[in-house]
């Protein structure tokens, strides 16, 4: 999990792609950042991150 995350981060940084990092994880903040920063791709490694984001998406549908 940690290897996949750092591989993704370093690959993007070395290619000059912008990355948005946060100090803490809040799924609703992730969705706000995706919208505010016009993020077109997100690396999600593991259910501990993926499931809360999927739940936040489901909860925010129709807004």
């Amino acid at each position: 999990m940690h290897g996949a995350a750092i591989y993704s981060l370093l690959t993007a940084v070395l290619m000059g792609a912008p990355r948005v990092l946060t100090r803490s994880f809040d799924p609703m903040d992730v969705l706000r950042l995706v919208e505010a920063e016009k993020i077109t791709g997100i690396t999600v490694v593991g259910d501990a991150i993926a499931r809360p984001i999927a739940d936040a998406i489901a909860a925010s549908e129709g807004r």
Side-chain angles (χ1 to χ4, degrees):
M1 176 175 16
H2 293 98
I6 195 69
Y7 176 79
S8 172
L9 176 64
L10 290 178
T11 300
V13 168
L14 292 173
M15 292 175 54
R19 283 291 177 239
V20 177
L21 303 175
T22 62
R23 290 187 181 272
S24 61
F25 174 69
D26 179 327
M28 292 307 290
D29 283 344
V30 169
L31 297 183
R32 283 190 281 278
L33 277 170
V34 167
E35 186 174 7
E37 300 293 329
K38 298 181 174 68
I39 295 171
T40 59
I42 183 172
T43 300
V44 177
V45 180
D47 280 355
I49 301 296
R51 288 185 186 270
I53 292 174
D55 293 342
I57 291 169
S60 68
E61 287 182 355
R63 289 185 185 181

